[in-house]
Amino acid sequence: MAPSQENDSSHGRLQASEINGQETTVQVIIIGGGLSGLQAAHDLQEAGLSCLLLEARDRVGGKLWSVPLSPGQKYVELGGAWTNDVNQPKVTALIKKLGLEMVKQNIVGDCILEDHGRFLYGSDPPLSEADKTAFAEVRNRVEALCHTVTVADFGQSLAEYGHMSMDELAICMGASDIVRRLVNIWTAAMLGVESNQVSAIFFLHYCQTGGGLLQMRSDDTGGGQHLRFRHGSQSLCHGLQRGLKPNTVVCSAPVQQIEQDPNTGCLVITRDGRRFRAERIISTVPSIFLNHITFSPSLSADKIWLSTHSKLGFYAKVFLIYSEPWWRKRGLCGLAQGLNGPVSLTRDASSDEDGLFALICFIVGQTGREWAQKDQHERLTEVIVHVDRIYGSNIPRPLETREQIWNEEEFSQGAPCPVVPASCLRSLSQDQWRPEGYIHFAGTETSTVWKGYMEGALVAGSRAAKEVIDIFSTS
């Protein structure tokens, strides 16, 4: 039975208009009601500390957003969708605790590479022998290299690869034109940026946090895209929220100003002028949005540089919902790579038990930015035409569609994780997201494991909460 999304979203939540009058005072204020902030709040309250979570949106979840196609069933994931139960222990434990039902990502059947043809999932794409050799060389060398790029020591890696984009690294490894285009699908699908717009060292580091390129890209057991949530990944957030004390979460409360004072602690002021005081703050705000908040005193030069120079790639999803999984009848698993149109990737997004049969189309990177400038009807038409071109003739029309352009969402503005330039990585490795005065930092981008994923968000939330708990326990 599907969890009640309505009940989940209202439990423990206080709308902005319900808090009036004087300053609200707690021991810890958490900024951001995604997985990281909710996990931090859970850990703090379990340790006996009082906290308040301020969320800018009118809902919890951040970039997890599960929308039902009909009341209580058939959820489509507008945001983060995948996890696994092999090497993501915090997500796995939370799923078990909340009793959530999971769906295995379908990998039975062939994949398609546009203009090149079909190939069995897990095998090499149908390229010429020379291109197959070049692709294997690039893939294997990137896989090996990403395991050498650790947060603790960027020095040697920066010296060797810090000046290169991911495209330039692929060229140095002997990539042909088609191999470069496949590498570009990696960076666009994972980070929303073109391979010539992302530092090789950052991409290698990003893959390293998820156990390597092959593990991050895999839909099989232990891979980054192995399991989906039958009733939506946002149910993780609703479950955490249900476990908090009433009125812990304040929605529709974007933070505008943070003041730190050694005598009076921290003052947080929201956009509409409400004031909150605490001894400590945990910020889960993505680094690129830190410069949207006025800090007094100012953040360190490293954090300001990071906020100013990092960027979010372009990320959009379009769901095509059908009466049946017609691709399976053709011996296809639903995974396809597009080369000449807006769709970079498709995946099977079905939940057979609920009668939901859908393909999810990823529109990412520069082609996505150009596609997003068109009107909604033209955008959808281009997606359907491109899917027809990838999959072939006699494809049924979708019964229903859903579109989500994350760059147009005020408090997200793009892909799951900011892209950090090589110039920031050395200071970031030394900084390790250390606290700034009374402010601690969380969010999936601050994690050393599964950066950009749900696991990374939970790990970071617990790490920041522990920093705060340790301080209170010794004071």
Side-chain angles (χ1 to χ4, degrees), residues 33 53 117 134 161 166 194 223 267 271 273 298 351 355 408 444:
L53 189 154
Y161 308 108
M166 195 57 204
E194 306 301 300
L267 173 64
R271 190 183 288 176
S298 176
S351 176
E408 295 180 356
T444 188

Tab-separated table of all heavy atoms in Angstrom, residues 33 53 117 134 161 166 194 223 267 271 273 298 351 355 408 444:
chain	number	residue	atom	x	y	z
A	33	GLY	N	15.634	21.526	3.635
A	33	GLY	CA	14.821	20.371	4.007
A	33	GLY	C	14.897	19.221	3.034
A	33	GLY	O	13.913	18.501	2.838
A	53	LEU	N	14.240	23.300	11.366
A	53	LEU	CA	14.709	23.171	9.984
A	53	LEU	C	13.958	24.169	9.119
A	53	LEU	O	12.722	24.148	9.066
A	53	LEU	CB	14.485	21.736	9.501
A	53	LEU	CG	15.104	21.335	8.169
A	53	LEU	CD1	15.353	19.834	8.132
A	53	LEU	CD2	14.218	21.726	6.995
A	117	GLY	N	22.905	1.167	-33.650
A	117	GLY	CA	22.175	-0.073	-33.502
A	117	GLY	C	22.092	-0.613	-32.091
A	117	GLY	O	22.401	0.075	-31.116
A	134	ALA	N	39.330	1.829	-29.033
A	134	ALA	CA	39.552	3.154	-28.430
A	134	ALA	C	38.624	3.385	-27.242
A	134	ALA	O	39.038	3.929	-26.205
A	134	ALA	CB	39.356	4.240	-29.479
A	161	TYR	N	46.690	16.352	-14.274
A	161	TYR	CA	45.453	16.479	-15.059
A	161	TYR	C	44.673	17.762	-14.782
A	161	TYR	O	43.633	17.986	-15.404
A	161	TYR	CB	44.538	15.278	-14.775
A	161	TYR	CG	45.221	13.950	-14.935
A	161	TYR	CD1	45.541	13.171	-13.820
A	161	TYR	CD2	45.574	13.481	-16.196
A	161	TYR	CE1	46.185	11.948	-13.961
A	161	TYR	CE2	46.225	12.267	-16.351
A	161	TYR	CZ	46.530	11.500	-15.229
A	161	TYR	OH	47.174	10.310	-15.373
A	166	MET	N	37.619	17.068	-19.416
A	166	MET	CA	37.402	15.639	-19.608
A	166	MET	C	37.531	15.273	-21.084
A	166	MET	O	38.027	14.197	-21.430
A	166	MET	CB	36.022	15.259	-19.063
A	166	MET	CG	35.813	13.776	-18.875
A	166	MET	SD	37.040	13.033	-17.785
A	166	MET	CE	36.972	11.329	-18.361
A	194	GLU	N	28.870	19.580	-20.635
A	194	GLU	CA	29.622	18.958	-21.717
A	194	GLU	C	31.005	18.539	-21.225
A	194	GLU	O	31.551	19.127	-20.289
A	194	GLU	CB	29.766	19.942	-22.888
A	194	GLU	CG	28.461	20.511	-23.399
A	194	GLU	CD	27.502	19.426	-23.894
A	194	GLU	OE1	27.874	18.698	-24.829
A	194	GLU	OE2	26.390	19.317	-23.328
A	223	GLY	N	25.132	-1.031	-8.645
A	223	GLY	CA	25.356	0.157	-9.466
A	223	GLY	C	24.530	1.345	-9.020
A	223	GLY	O	23.575	1.212	-8.251
A	267	LEU	N	22.085	34.467	14.498
A	267	LEU	CA	20.784	35.015	14.135
A	267	LEU	C	20.542	34.714	12.657
A	267	LEU	O	21.364	35.051	11.805
A	267	LEU	CB	20.733	36.522	14.370
A	267	LEU	CG	19.478	37.239	13.863
A	267	LEU	CD1	18.229	36.764	14.615
A	267	LEU	CD2	19.639	38.761	13.977
A	271	ARG	N	13.706	35.648	4.241
A	271	ARG	CA	13.410	36.657	3.228
A	271	ARG	C	12.267	37.570	3.645
A	271	ARG	O	12.246	38.756	3.302
A	271	ARG	CB	13.086	35.958	1.904
A	271	ARG	CG	12.984	36.877	0.707
A	271	ARG	CD	12.596	36.086	-0.538
A	271	ARG	NE	13.704	35.260	-1.010
A	271	ARG	CZ	13.609	34.415	-2.044
A	271	ARG	NH1	12.449	34.294	-2.671
A	271	ARG	NH2	14.656	33.705	-2.429
A	273	GLY	N	11.616	38.437	6.714
A	273	GLY	CA	11.961	39.184	7.907
A	273	GLY	C	11.834	38.460	9.228
A	273	GLY	O	12.112	39.042	10.287
A	298	SER	N	31.796	37.649	7.037
A	298	SER	CA	31.811	36.978	5.745
A	298	SER	C	32.384	35.571	5.869
A	298	SER	O	33.172	35.271	6.772
A	298	SER	CB	32.654	37.798	4.766
A	298	SER	OG	32.774	37.128	3.528
A	351	SER	N	6.696	0.826	-13.332
A	351	SER	CA	6.374	0.068	-12.121
A	351	SER	C	5.264	-0.899	-12.517
A	351	SER	O	4.081	-0.547	-12.513
A	351	SER	CB	5.908	0.998	-10.995
A	351	SER	OG	5.523	0.241	-9.862
A	355	GLY	N	0.913	-0.876	-12.903
A	355	GLY	CA	0.416	-0.617	-14.253
A	355	GLY	C	0.978	0.656	-14.851
A	355	GLY	O	0.357	1.264	-15.737
A	408	GLU	N	14.955	25.756	-14.049
A	408	GLU	CA	13.932	26.784	-13.889
A	408	GLU	C	13.355	26.803	-12.482
A	408	GLU	O	12.495	27.632	-12.169
A	408	GLU	CB	12.811	26.566	-14.920
A	408	GLU	CG	13.295	26.753	-16.360
A	408	GLU	CD	12.202	26.530	-17.381
A	408	GLU	OE1	11.069	26.145	-16.976
A	408	GLU	OE2	12.465	26.726	-18.584
A	444	THR	N	24.773	16.828	-0.198
A	444	THR	CA	25.420	15.716	-0.892
A	444	THR	C	26.763	16.093	-1.504
A	444	THR	O	27.670	15.260	-1.591
A	444	THR	CB	24.481	15.119	-1.958
A	444	THR	OG1	25.049	13.926	-2.486
A	444	THR	CG2	24.207	16.118	-3.079
